[in-house]
Amino acid sequence: MRRAAGIGAIKKKEVAQNRYADKGYELAENELQELSRFVTKFKEHLELFSSKYKNDIRKNPQFRKQFQDLCAHIGVDPLASSKGFWSEMLGVGDFYYELAVQVVEVCMATRERNGGLITLDELMHRLLASRSKHAQQISRDDVICAIKKVQPLGTGFTLIPLAGGSFLIQSVPGELSMDHAAVIQIAEEVGFVSVSILKEKLKWTADRAERILDHLTREGMVWVDAQSAEKNYYFPSLSTRES
């Protein structure tokens, strides 16, 4: 019959476990300090890189996008504020805030016609037409980034994905449901929607289709053609895109 472990052996085991735990904490702390030094060093190199290539970052939309992606990987947001190092060094903070203001102006100017929905393509076209020929070049990624900067302000700006990687920009308060998004997708495909089209494409009941279409009509997001045997509903933003 084996003897039970004595009190001395148990205490010895506890001391050993405590030592292992202390050593583990020490190793973890050393690794954390090393990682912190690495990130600090990397940020310093990133600042040197941005200083060297600041003209390319300002003038070349593709280069600017690649630089933003690089910053995102280490948790640095060069657009977080219009003040501070990144803004003073690159001017990108001011650039995106100014572009965001122009985006809002275009959306406000077209809201009466399109009910607060505008395609990214039309928005780009109007922005390019309104900007000075001496202004910095802008890309679709720049416009998307500017829109994301105004979203936290609660202004109602939302990006709605479309087929082919494009977007609709909603510039009025109020969240569009999955049903609304499905109707927009069908309208993009067919050119317009109706109760019968939604019943066929989405397998909806007539009541469900009518409820969604009535809501879109009240919000001014669709135009109604009542001349046909069945009412047809057109999204003016998508109609403009096709024309």
Side-chain angles (χ1 to χ4, degrees), residues 22 36 43 58 61 80 111 122 126 134 168 176 197 235:
D22 291 341
S36 178
K43 287 183 178 180
R58 286 174 178 170
R111 185 177 292 178
E122 183 183 356
R126 290 179 177 273
H134 301 296
L168 266 180
L176 293 181
I197 288 176
F235 286 86

Side-chain angles (χ1 to χ4, degrees), residues 24-91:
Y25 291 138
E26 181 183 344
L27 290 173
E29 186 176 356
N30 289 338
E31 289 181 2
L32 185 60
Q33 290 176 352
E34 184 64 27
L35 179 61
S36 178
R37 284 194 291 269
F38 172 79
V39 171
T40 299
K41 198 69 177 177
F42 192 88
K43 287 183 178 180
E44 290 175 358
H45 285 298
L46 187 62
E47 291 178 3
L48 290 174
F49 175 87
S50 65
S51 177
K52 183 177 180 180
Y53 295 102
K54 62 181 179 181
N55 289 332
D56 295 294
I57 294 171
R58 286 174 178 170
K59 297 178 181 178
N60 188 319
Q62 184 177 1
F63 196 87
R64 185 162 56 244
K65 175 66 164 56
Q66 292 171 341
F67 176 73
Q68 289 177 37
D69 291 341
L70 179 64
C71 290
H73 283 304
I74 62 165
V76 175
D77 186 0
L79 313 178
S81 172
S82 60
K83 306 296 182 184
F85 170 80
W86 295 106
S87 179
E88 293 173 3
M89 174 63 68
L90 304 176

Side-chain angles (χ1 to χ4, degrees), residues 64-124:
R64 185 162 56 244
K65 175 66 164 56
Q66 292 171 341
F67 176 73
Q68 289 177 37
D69 291 341
L70 179 64
C71 290
H73 283 304
I74 62 165
V76 175
D77 186 0
L79 313 178
S81 172
S82 60
K83 306 296 182 184
F85 170 80
W86 295 106
S87 179
E88 293 173 3
M89 174 63 68
L90 304 176
V92 290
D94 292 334
F95 167 76
Y96 280 103
Y97 282 96
E98 290 169 3
L99 181 57
V101 170
Q102 294 174 340
V103 167
V104 171
E105 289 175 346
V106 170
C107 289
M108 290 291 290
T110 59
R111 185 177 292 178
E112 185 176 349
R113 180 181 60 81
N114 58 31
L117 289 177
I118 185 171
T119 61
L120 180 58
D121 292 339
E122 183 183 356
L123 179 58
M124 277 289 297

